[in-house]
Amino acid sequence: MGFTSWWHWAIVAIVLLILFGSKKLPDAARGLGQSLRIFKSEVKEMQKDDDKDSQAAADATPADPSRRELPAGDSTQPATQHDADVKKSA
């Protein structure tokens, strides 16, 4: 028979009523429902954030993987030997 007959469930319900009382059970169920709703919304928000991050990473990836952008640095161009010769002659 196992734990599936109706009288087993009735005994469990009676024990729960005795242990927790008729006032505490609805409050506990309400709190559990609110917790599950919050959890569900947070999981959806995390999935949205992951989708945004993966989209941003895909947009930032260059088309040619052998060509990578250099990080921003000094905006002046490095002087070459030719530039130095031109400056000396001027």
Side-chain angles (χ1 to χ4, degrees):
M1 273 243 265
F3 194 65
T4 57
S5 67
W6 68 271
W7 63 275
H8 285 114
W9 288 109
I11 291 173
V12 169
I14 291 170
V15 169
L16 287 174
L17 280 173
I18 291 170
L19 288 176
F20 297 107
S22 61
K23 175 70 175 145
K24 299 243 181 193
L25 285 176
D27 292 339
R30 191 174 303 115
L32 180 64
Q34 288 174 349
S35 298
L36 289 176
R37 278 191 293 271
I38 291 170
F39 179 74
K40 185 177 177 181
S41 68
E42 291 297 323
V43 168
K44 283 184 181 180
E45 189 66 32
M46 288 175 57
Q47 288 174 346
K48 286 180 185 177
D49 288 344
D50 287 344
D51 290 342
K52 288 178 186 176
D53 290 343
S54 64
Q55 182 65 27
D59 291 343
T61 304
D64 183 11
S66 63
R67 293 192 60 181
R68 295 185 294 177
E69 291 184 28
L70 296 175
D74 190 12
S75 62
T76 61
Q77 295 292 327
T80 61
Q81 183 64 30
H82 177 68
D83 292 338
D85 292 338
V86 171
K87 288 180 184 177
K88 288 181 184 177
S89 65

